[in-house]
Every structure is written in C-alpha cells, then in structure tokens.
Amino acid sequence: MRLVDLPLFKKIFARQKARHYEYLSKKWTARHGELRERLGSKHGDSLKWLSEKVSPQQLAAGSLGGLMLLSVPTASALSAGGLPEPPANIAQRTASKESVLAAELSGKLPPEVRPLTAEEERDIVEVLTKSFGFKVVPEMEGKRLNRSFGLIGGEQHLYRFPGDFLWKHFETEEESRLFGPSGIAPGLGAWRYFAPSEAEFTQRDKMRERFYIAVQTFLAPGFSERVREYVDFFKFRKMIVVNPETGQSVVTVVGDAGPAEWTGKHLGGSPEVMYYLGLDKGPRKGPVLFFFIDDPEDKIALGPVSIK
Amino acid sequence: MKKYFYSHIVEVESLFLELEKFGFSEQEKAHLITLIDSSLHHAVLDAILSELSGGDKKIFLEHMAAGDEGKIWKFLLGKVENIEDKIRRAAEELKGELHKDMKETRGKG
C-alpha cells in the first residue's frame, strides 16, 4: 500500500498554487489600480502635460517607463486578472485616445472575425490613417494579404544571428521577466537570420526582431505565381497592427511567414508585439486589424504607436 | 525590477524572497513582480509629486523622462526637505501592505 499518493499530492499543491496566484494577482491588480487612480487624480495635469511634450518611446526609456508601460488597459489582461483599467493619470490621455479609436472602429467592424469587404477596408484605413498621422493601406505595389482583419496569436522570439540565444535579447531585468518566458523558436524565421553575424547585427535588426509579426504570405493572392517577387516584397515590410477592442497599436515588420492555416489563427506576433497590443495574457490570442504602412523613407519607428 | 533613481534607498528583496516561497511559475512571478514594481513606482512618484508645486512637478517630470538621475536628485534635494526619508516611508508603507497580502494568502491554505 502506498502511504503517499504522489500524483494526488502534486495535484493538490498545484491547485493551491493556482489559488494563491489568483488571489495575489487580483488583490495587487486592484491595489495597483488604486495607486494609479490616486496619482492621476492628484497630479493628472502635470502628467498630461508631460505626455504631450515627449514621445511614448522617450517616456518608456526614461524613469517613467514603469508607469507608461503598465498604464495601458487591456481587455485580455483584465480577464486574466492582469492590470486594471487606468484612472485619470499619465496614460489616461493616451488610453482615452485609444478608447476613442476603439469606439470608432467598433462601429465599422463586423461582429465576427472575417475578411473585410472593400468598403469596410476603405473606411477603416481612413480612420487609421487619420488616427496615426501616417498612410495606412491594404494594398501596395499591387500586393495584399488574404485578409486585413484576423486572429493574432503569440509567437516566440527568433534567432537574430548565428550564435544568438534567448537571454541575449534583453537589456534589462524587466525585459527578461516580461519577454523571456515566451522562449525562442527552435527554427529560423522565414527570412533566416536578421543579420549574418553578431558583429554585423545592428539596432535596426534588433528592433525588427523585437517588433516582428508572422503573416500568411503564402495565402496572399498571386503568391504562388510569383514567389520570389512576393517574398522580396513581404520581407521586413512595415505593417501596423491594431487591437480594435482597446485601440492599442504597434508598428511592426513582417519577420516570418505563418501561422499554418489549420491553427485557426491568421497572423502571429512577437512577445513584445503581443504585450503592446494588450494580448499577452491568458490565451495570447485576439482579433486585430493589420495593414501596410506606406513609409518609403523608413521614417516611422517600430514599436507601440501613439494616436494623434 | 527596473532600476529607478531611488532604487538604492528602497529595499525590495524581502518582497521577492517572500514571493519565492509560493513556488509560482516564472511567468506568474514575472507578472506579480511587475505589479510590485509598478505599484511602488506609483506610490513613490505620488509621494514626491505631492511635495512639489505645479511648476516644480513639471521640471521634475522632465528630468524623469530624460532619465538623468543626477539632475533628478539635485533638483529634489534642493526642493524638498528630507526627500529620501519621504520616499523611503512611502515605499515602506506599501511594502508592509504587500507583505500582509502574502501572509494572508498563505493563511488561506
């Protein structure tokens, strides 16, 4: 007779851990919300003034990063016991602009996730172009993807140069904590490495891996007839990805091809892309809009984008 | 934990050690640590901003956005008496609550 039923014990322990995590997560999320609310209600004017003065990228890089990065609301985070809705604080202005965009999009999107009609696409592209202040298009050089509204799923990091490894991707402990657990894909991306060697690896390559998406290039109309031309077109093509439920948006590049049709997903996002879309918790999946960015001079920076 | 200009006067390791005892996964831990980090940052900023006038708040926030620790400290030390104590007190108060939450959680079995 076994004195200790090990699997049962493990199960009980796992359940207890899950309960503890849920409890702490809920409690600390609520407390975090209160602190943000207090900060916003007491010093909202000064924080708003700052957010109008400097770019979100600069804020994220400076000592206010901890505020900014965590102050954007995400529907998925809420459902997963993540961070709460923001109060009137530094991010509220941003969040409210995002909310306005989300509200505007909700009136133009179909209730189900399906390919958009030409008319729907036109309307949405107009809204996005106006919101971001740069040209957003569903088609470039006569090429388009098979859809511009679909389900995004979380991807892993990609090897950037020969000899690269996961922990080399992060510069701070915070980055390691946020983006390390996603892991690194065992194989290379569709365009192979981002740089031929570590010595030739640039900041631009780093940003490309950080903010990459995988799109179903192989389903693009005309792809099978002109594979080389299409591959050249899609490689590192700049695209905007928008979470229509929250308005959170990220400028990305096409860094990989996929996911397979059978997955039910229509594109994939790097851990950083998913984070800034507010889709990094729970199932790491959700509906998004994705369009090309017409940026011939490569002036638009990759990463989370603020609404004008 | 992100390094802030006040990190050297705010001890957080005790919170992490306590959290470690729960045996959470790396992802769960990362989420909770992020909440701790951001909550402390909000509490400390609130404590500092509450000591400054409207114009001084803007100057301070500009230094913060630029990430210039030297300027931040020079400015704060010149404007607020015992600012280090005030930062420490705000952090300690929140830390106390977080420790209490963890104790309470374990007590739930």
Side-chain angles (χ1 to χ4, degrees):
Chain A
M1 195 179 88
R2 289 163 70 187
L3 289 174
V4 179
D5 188 337
L6 205 55
L8 181 67
F9 178 75
K10 276 186 181 169
K11 220 177 196 175
I12 292 169
F13 184 61
R15 273 193 204 143
Q16 188 193 44
K17 261 201 306 191
R19 266 203 317 274
H20 285 169
Y21 170 69
E22 198 181 339
Y23 181 79
L24 276 180
S25 173
K26 273 187 187 163
K27 187 130 195 170
W28 287 359
T29 296
R31 195 188 302 282
H32 185 260
E34 284 162 20
L35 287 163
R36 286 200 310 197
E37 199 156 342
R38 195 167 75 194
L39 188 71
S41 62
K42 284 169 73 179
H43 317 291
D45 288 349
S46 307
L47 295 165
K48 183 180 169 190
W49 168 84
L50 183 75
S51 66
E52 281 168 352
K53 202 166 184 287
V54 301
S55 69
Q57 285 83 358
Q58 193 189 338
L59 283 173
S63 295
L64 286 161
L67 271 187
M68 292 303 291
L69 291 173
L70 290 164
S71 294
V72 181
T74 74
S76 59
L78 282 171
S79 62
L83 301 171
E85 286 286 340
N89 67 1
I90 188 165
Q92 193 195 35
R93 195 187 59 82
T94 311
S96 64
K97 282 188 176 179
E98 286 168 334
S99 307
V100 170
L101 174 61
E104 204 170 348
L105 290 173
S106 72
K108 297 181 186 299
L109 280 172
E112 72 279 18
V113 181
R114 58 152 172 80
L116 301 174
T117 64
E119 196 182 337
E120 287 168 338
E121 247 181 6
R122 252 198 320 274
D123 277 0
I124 287 163
V125 154
E126 198 181 312
V127 169
L128 297 182
T129 297
K130 192 181 72 191
S131 299
F132 300 126
F134 52 72
K135 202 171 167 196
V136 173
V137 291
E139 186 173 318
M140 278 182 86
E141 301 173 23
K143 297 177 185 67
R144 55 183 301 127
L145 285 163
N146 63 329
R147 59 194 301 152
S148 49
F149 183 35
L151 279 178
I152 193 170
E155 299 286 338
Q156 294 183 297
H157 292 279
L158 293 173
Y159 287 109
R160 303 167 300 175
F161 47 80
D164 190 21
F165 56 86
L166 179 63
W167 301 106
K168 254 189 186 174
H169 287 228
F170 315 118
E171 284 160 10
T172 63
E173 280 180 40
E174 189 181 19
E175 283 180 7
S176 305
R177 276 201 309 277
L178 287 173
F179 308 125
S182 299
I184 193 161
L188 298 179
W191 324 134
R192 312 290 293 169
Y193 292 114
F194 289 76
S197 68
E198 187 167 6
E200 292 160 275
F201 182 66
T202 63
Q203 181 65 18
R204 191 187 193 204
D205 300 321
K206 185 195 278 183
M207 294 303 281
R208 281 177 164 176
E209 191 278 337
R210 198 171 274 186
F211 294 106
Y212 88 88
I213 54 171
V215 295
Q216 293 172 318
T217 53
F218 45 88
L219 296 180
F223 179 86
S224 52
E225 289 87 44
R226 288 175 287 166
V227 174
R228 176 47 43 204
E229 186 187 323
Y230 271 66
V231 165
D232 289 344
F233 170 80
F234 279 116
K235 188 175 178 181
F236 302 130
R237 176 66 53 184
K238 212 174 263 183
M239 294 192 80
I240 182 84
V241 183
V242 179
N243 178 345
E245 288 177 5
T246 63
Q248 286 164 273
S249 310
V250 186
V251 175
T252 67
V253 291
V254 176
D256 200 0
E261 276 185 276
W262 59 262
T263 61
K265 289 179 271 187
H266 308 110
L267 71 163
S270 72
E272 285 88 344
V273 167
M274 298 304 282
Y275 177 78
Y276 286 106
L277 286 174
L279 295 169
D280 57 319
K281 303 283 187 321
R284 297 176 74 225
K285 194 167 95 169
V288 290
L289 289 159
F290 45 113
F291 291 100
F292 298 122
I293 298 172
D294 191 7
D295 181 27
E297 290 174 38
D298 196 17
K299 282 186 171 169
I300 299 160
L302 301 185
V305 61
S306 57
I307 295 164
K308 299 281 173 203
Chain B
M1 189 93 180
K2 187 166 175 157
K3 189 182 172 294
Y4 298 107
F5 68 92
Y6 53 80
S7 292
H8 63 291
I9 55 171
V10 173
E11 181 276 326
V12 286
E13 284 71 24
S14 60
L15 284 170
F16 298 159
L17 286 174
E18 203 57 37
L19 197 60
E20 202 65 48
K21 293 179 187 166
F22 284 93
F24 293 139
S25 71
E26 287 304 313
Q27 214 153 356
E28 289 168 337
K29 254 191 309 189
H31 178 222
L32 295 174
I33 287 172
T34 307
L35 282 170
I36 293 175
D37 184 26
S38 184
S39 296
L40 279 168
H41 197 41
H42 280 74
V44 168
L45 282 189
D46 181 28
I48 294 170
L49 289 170
S50 299
E51 297 289 329
L52 298 173
S53 69
D56 285 343
K57 281 184 193 179
K58 290 179 181 174
I59 297 171
F60 165 70
L61 288 171
E62 271 188 316
H63 291 333
M64 285 277 291
D68 190 332
E69 290 191 17
K71 277 188 183 168
I72 294 171
W73 276 117
K74 194 174 169 198
F75 179 75
L76 285 180
L77 290 168
K79 291 283 175 187
V80 187
E81 208 177 323
N82 299 325
I83 184 63
E84 285 163 304
D85 285 345
K86 285 171 181 160
I87 291 173
R88 217 175 273 129
R89 212 174 306 137
E92 286 302 322
E93 196 182 314
L94 178 61
K95 276 172 56 189
E97 290 175 25
L98 297 172
H99 273 297
K100 205 171 125 199
D101 292 339
M102 286 193 274
K103 199 174 166 190
E104 223 176 77
T105 306
R106 265 199 309 277
K108 287 184 178 295

